[in-house]
Amino acid sequence: MALTADAKEELSHLEVTRPSARKAEASAMLRFAGGLHLVGGQVVVEAELDSAAVARRLHGIIAEMYGHRAELAVLAPSGIRRSTRYIVRVEREGGMLARQTGLLDSRGRPVRGMPPAVVGGAAVDAEAAWRGAFLARGSLTEPGRSAALELFCPGPEVALAMVGAARRLGVAAKAREARGGDRVVLRDGDAISALLTRMGAHRTVLTWEEHRTRREVRATAHRLANFDDANLRRSARAAVAAGQRVQRALEILGDEVPEHLLSAGRLRLENRQASLEELGRLADPPLTKDAVAGRIRRLLAMADKRAEELGVPGTEEVVDEDQLPPSPDGRD
């Protein structure tokens, strides 16, 4: 998950000056990583994050944009918690912050989706919402078959809201339920690059594209190598089979073989695994591969016709599969 950590580290230091964008980012972070608790009859807002830099960023936005004092706490790994977690908690005036960030509506009821300011805001607010959601509960995997940018959402309403926010940015994302949770997933490489760019992770985009290009080059080279190898084995198999048939043709025809066909047949027998192009270069005078193929084809046709007249096996009956090179698909 190195790319995820790199992306979050970069985004956690991104400078954003527009107030609505900073508020949209904080709202998304609290929605994805946060929770509401009642302590002594008062609402407490709490967010659990996996990065100290992200926690400090949320702490700063809460203080600068909303004027509330938040506490920072560190949870060391223990039990099922394998990594250090960072808690941002607002106890005093937690209810006010919850209303300001859209966690509660004006009547104090929990909001299931994203706040209207994020859903209906400007494009820069949609970018900020995605940035906050990714910082809180996002992941980015390496380019390849399983490449994905994912958000782990607190509910289906939030997932649909983030799909809509991505659509407003010109990026196609899908909401789906997997392993008992709601997610928003992007698997197209171009879409992932575009959304990372809109969020502000420019260095991560360069790294992602570099890994993606390197993988595509390797895959193409591997595919071409397999293609060339299969063609070579197919050609060698056909050449050996042709050699067996030519040998039988010369046995059937004996002295009745025309000189130019006899010359082509001998070339095949002396160079059983050579390609037609190579046989043409070995001929004296040199011939094109089409000319060599034509002469061998006429030699075999003449021999098969003579074998039918004599009632003896023709050239195809003598091909011994056991003596042929393996076929490209592994079957003999």
Side-chain angles (χ1 to χ4, degrees):
M1 302 298 285
L3 275 178
T4 300
D6 291 345
K8 290 187 177 183
E9 180 67 20
E10 181 181 2
L11 291 175
S12 66
H13 293 93
L14 181 69
E15 184 176 353
V16 179
T17 58
R18 178 165 171 154
S20 66
R22 299 189 71 190
K23 290 180 179 180
E25 183 178 322
S27 294
M29 292 174 72
L30 290 173
R31 167 58 66 201
F32 277 79
L36 298 177
H37 308 284
L38 278 177
V39 179
Q42 292 187 342
V43 175
V44 174
V45 177
E46 186 174 276
E48 183 177 327
L49 302 158
D50 59 6
S51 164
V54 174
R56 287 193 297 269
R57 183 178 181 87
L58 177 59
H59 182 276
I61 296 176
I62 291 174
E64 296 169 15
M65 292 290 101
Y66 301 105
H68 301 304
R69 181 179 177 274
E71 298 177 358
L72 278 174
V74 180
L75 294 179
S78 66
I80 61 174
R81 187 172 58 248
R82 299 181 180 180
S83 60
T84 302
R85 310 293 289 183
Y86 302 88
I87 306 298
V88 179
R89 182 187 297 113
V90 178
E91 295 184 358
R92 297 182 58 185
E93 300 179 336
M96 183 180 296
L97 176 63
R99 289 183 177 87
Q100 290 171 322
T101 56
L103 298 179
L104 296 176
D105 64 16
S106 59
R107 297 183 181 181
R109 297 173 300 188
V111 175
R112 298 176 65 86
M114 297 296 289
V118 173
V119 175
V124 68
D125 300 326
E127 294 171 355
W130 260 94
R131 182 167 56 249
F134 181 83
L135 286 170
R137 290 292 184 270
S139 70
L140 176 64
T141 53
E142 290 278 351
R145 291 183 179 178
S146 59
L149 190 157
E150 290 186 272
L151 294 181
F152 302 85
C153 304
E157 297 87 356
V158 174
L160 290 175
M162 297 309 296
V163 169
R167 189 184 304 115
R168 285 161 53 205
L169 299 176
V171 177
K174 292 185 178 180
R176 65 185 182 92
E177 186 177 351
R179 295 190 289 275
D182 294 285
R183 303 188 181 196
V184 176
V185 183
L186 286 80
R187 296 200 179 278
D188 179 73
D190 292 336
I192 292 173
S193 293
L195 190 53
L196 287 171
T197 301
R198 297 299 296 262
M199 286 193 290
H202 302 292
R203 289 200 309 272
T204 304
V205 171
L206 293 177
T207 303
W208 162 270
E209 289 293 350
E210 180 183 349
H211 291 187
R212 182 185 176 192
T213 301
R214 189 183 306 134
R215 184 180 182 89
E216 289 176 351
V217 168
R218 284 202 303 266
T220 300
H222 184 66
R223 186 167 57 251
L224 291 176
N226 286 343
F227 178 78
D228 290 343
D229 182 61
N231 278 345
L232 287 173
R233 283 187 287 164
R234 191 176 293 110
S235 297
R237 186 178 175 86
V240 173
Q244 295 178 0
R245 293 187 65 191
V246 165
Q247 184 172 350
R248 175 60 179 165
L250 296 181
E251 292 172 357
I252 295 172
L253 295 175
D255 296 335
E256 300 177 13
V257 185
E259 183 61 30
H260 66 295
L261 300 186
L262 177 62
S263 176
R266 285 175 176 171
L267 270 178
R268 171 48 73 199
L269 292 179
E270 294 168 1
N271 305 274
R272 289 183 178 252
Q273 293 197 21
S275 66
L276 292 172
E277 188 173 359
E278 291 170 333
L279 291 182
R281 289 197 296 266
L282 293 172
D284 184 21
L287 300 171
T288 66
K289 66 177 184 179
D290 292 335
V292 175
R295 293 186 181 188
I296 292 177
R297 189 164 52 247
R298 287 194 294 275
L299 172 65
L300 298 178
M302 182 181 296
D304 285 333
K305 183 178 180 180
R306 181 60 175 157
E308 186 177 357
E309 295 172 353
L310 298 174
V312 298
T315 63
E316 293 185 352
E317 284 82 353
V318 300
V319 175
D320 187 354
E321 293 283 342
D322 293 335
Q323 295 184 18
L324 302 182
S327 63
D329 57 8
R331 293 176 297 180
D332 293 335

